[in-house]
Amino acid sequence: MTDSTLTRLFRFLTREPRLLCDKETWDTGTKELHRRTDERREAGAFLLGNERLGSRRIKKFLFYDDIDPNCFDHGIVEFNGHKFGKVWEVCKTLDMDIVADVHVHPAGYGQSPSDQENPMKLEAGHLAIILPDYAKGYQNPGEFGIYEYLGQRRWTNHTRLGQNFFRIR
């Protein structure tokens, strides 16, 4: 093998996953999601951070109901699009962007028809995470849903990639 082939192979084998989060941020955020569910309704958050070299690093949970207090009035996520101005203000203040979103389901982690029809960010490449069991207890990537929005209400499921796609460390 040539040096350039070895270099490309090394980069491929050692590349960072698409999504990263430190364990403390993840644990604190998911525990807060669970608390907000009262084990009877959904809860969710925008995951704020930055992208570097193709990997998105989660640095902060911005909970939906802190921006739109009425978004769970019917037990599911119904975020008022008019409230996005506040989200962008927070992003600008923190010099971050929405790198993904997360919400919980009462049981499994599959996307509902409503999830598929209503991405939180209408941009191809947006990542959506769904935690089962109202985010009760610790779950590793591969044990919750990881979906990428492709545009035009189409998604791809990255759940089975687990730690290769989303690493918590």
Side-chain angles (χ1 to χ4, degrees), residues 25 30 47 53 76 97 105 113 118 120 124 135 143 146 148-149 152-153:
T25 300
T30 57
L47 301 175
L53 301 174
I76 61 169
D97 195 6
H105 280 182
N118 301 291
M120 291 304 287
E143 298 172 347
I146 306 170
E148 181 176 3
Y149 186 61
Q152 300 178 351
R153 307 296 192 253

Side-chain angles (χ1 to χ4, degrees), residues 8 18 65 107 109 118 129 135-136 139 149 167:
R8 284 195 306 271
R18 296 256 315 270
D65 51 332
Y109 54 76
N118 301 291
I129 297 169
K136 188 175 185 176
Q139 297 146 354
Y149 186 61
R167 188 165 305 144

Side-chain angles (χ1 to χ4, degrees), residues 127-152:
L127 301 173
I129 297 169
I130 301 175
L131 303 176
D133 305 319
Y134 294 119
K136 188 175 185 176
Y138 186 77
Q139 297 146 354
N140 293 303
E143 298 172 347
F144 52 77
I146 306 170
Y147 304 92
E148 181 176 3
Y149 186 61
L150 302 175
Q152 300 178 351

Side-chain angles (χ1 to χ4, degrees), residues 46-124:
F46 295 103
L47 301 175
L48 307 183
N50 303 104
E51 185 170 344
R52 185 175 155 261
L53 301 174
S55 290
R56 301 172 191 184
R57 185 173 304 275
I58 299 166
K59 296 181 179 178
K60 180 175 180 53
F61 281 61
L62 178 60
F63 298 95
Y64 297 155
D65 51 332
D66 287 346
I67 302 295
D68 178 4
N70 302 314
C71 69
F72 299 118
D73 285 354
H74 300 108
I76 61 169
V77 177
E78 293 178 310
F79 190 84
N80 181 339
H82 297 293
K83 305 284 184 175
F84 265 100
K86 291 180 183 179
V87 175
W88 299 129
E89 284 177 27
V90 171
C91 288
K92 184 176 180 181
T93 299
L94 298 174
D95 192 28
M96 294 183 199
D97 195 6
I98 298 170
V99 296
D101 71 77
V102 61
H103 75 277
V104 304
H105 280 182
Y109 54 76
Q111 282 185 305
S112 69
S114 176
D115 295 334
Q116 292 175 353
E117 289 295 316
N118 301 291
M120 291 304 287
K121 190 174 177 187
L122 275 171
E123 182 177 293

